Amino acid sequence: MKLKIFILFFLFIIIGCFSKKHSIKIEYYTVDYESLTYSDFKQLPVTIRVEHFLPAPFYKSDKINYSSERFKRDFYEYHRWRAYPDDIISYFIERDFKNSALFKGVFNVNSTNPVSYVVQGTVEDFFEQDSVNKWEAVVSLSVTLIDDNESNFNKKILFQKTYTSKKECKEKTAKSLAEAMSLAMKDVSNSIILDVYNFISTN
């Protein structure tokens, strides 16, 4: 009986050591860039709420999404985003609107403050596009600007537009993808902010 217990105990130790030795660590990534400033622009006396961007069906996961051919999508098992793409994008878009100082106030969906305008959006693309010669980070967001003070529903929607940016990865690595995705996000965010600013200031 004691021999059987000793053998089982020894096997558990071996299995445990083997599992630890061969376990693969998951690496987590995020986008990281500085907000642009617009010192030459006059601040508008309006308030804006940036709502949480909705994810397309492919992006309801923290796994990094990549495509090597049309109609095909795959995921890295051991390279993941630190948060879901819609959470990452919503945070950075709100942050950039706020840091732009182009508007009197910028709030998120959790705020109860009354606002003049609402920015809504959908994450259409947030993935790695692979080809023989290069990898690219692709970001595509559909954005709607809404007049929150307009009672007529048909007049509430001021404009809808899709913003897309592609940036080449310096290397074929997950880290380079995160760097390229950061540049693509910065481009898209800047375009959204300027379009919202220009529309409000001229209407």
Side-chain angles (χ1 to χ4, degrees), residues 140-159:
S140 185
L141 307 178
S142 292
V143 173
T144 302
L145 179 65
I146 296 173
D147 184 345
D148 206 47
N149 296 319
E150 176 59 61
S151 57
N152 187 332
F153 179 78
N154 293 323
K155 295 181 179 179
K156 289 180 74 71
I157 297 177
L158 302 177
F159 77 74

Side-chain angles (χ1 to χ4, degrees), residues 42-49 97-98 100-107 113-119 145-149 158 193 196-203:
K42 182 180 178 180
Q43 186 182 81
L44 299 177
V46 301
T47 53
I48 289 179
R49 180 172 69 249
F97 263 93
K98 192 175 295 182
S100 73
L102 293 177
F103 312 96
K104 186 177 181 180
V106 176
F107 307 97
N113 292 310
V115 296
S116 313
Y117 301 92
V118 175
V119 174
L145 179 65
I146 296 173
D147 184 345
D148 206 47
N149 296 319
L158 302 177
I193 291 170
V196 169
Y197 178 88
N198 289 328
F199 184 93
I200 295 173
S201 63
T202 56
N203 288 276

Side-chain angles (χ1 to χ4, degrees), residues 66-82:
Y66 70 93
S67 176
S68 56
E69 58 184 284
R70 194 179 180 190
F71 306 119
K72 185 178 180 181
R73 288 294 177 93
D74 292 297
F75 302 89
Y76 290 113
E77 190 64 39
Y78 302 107
H79 298 298
R80 303 188 182 188
W81 298 115
R82 175 52 66 183

Side-chain angles (χ1 to χ4, degrees), residues 36-43 99-102 194 197:
L36 291 173
T37 56
Y38 307 86
S39 56
D40 295 334
F41 291 73
K42 182 180 178 180
Q43 186 182 81
N99 290 345
S100 73
L102 293 177
L194 288 179
Y197 178 88

Side-chain angles (χ1 to χ4, degrees), residues 50-55 90 119-124 141-144:
V50 179
E51 296 196 345
H52 192 283
F53 278 50
L54 300 176
S90 298
V119 174
Q120 296 179 339
T122 300
V123 181
E124 304 290 352
L141 307 178
S142 292
V143 173
T144 302

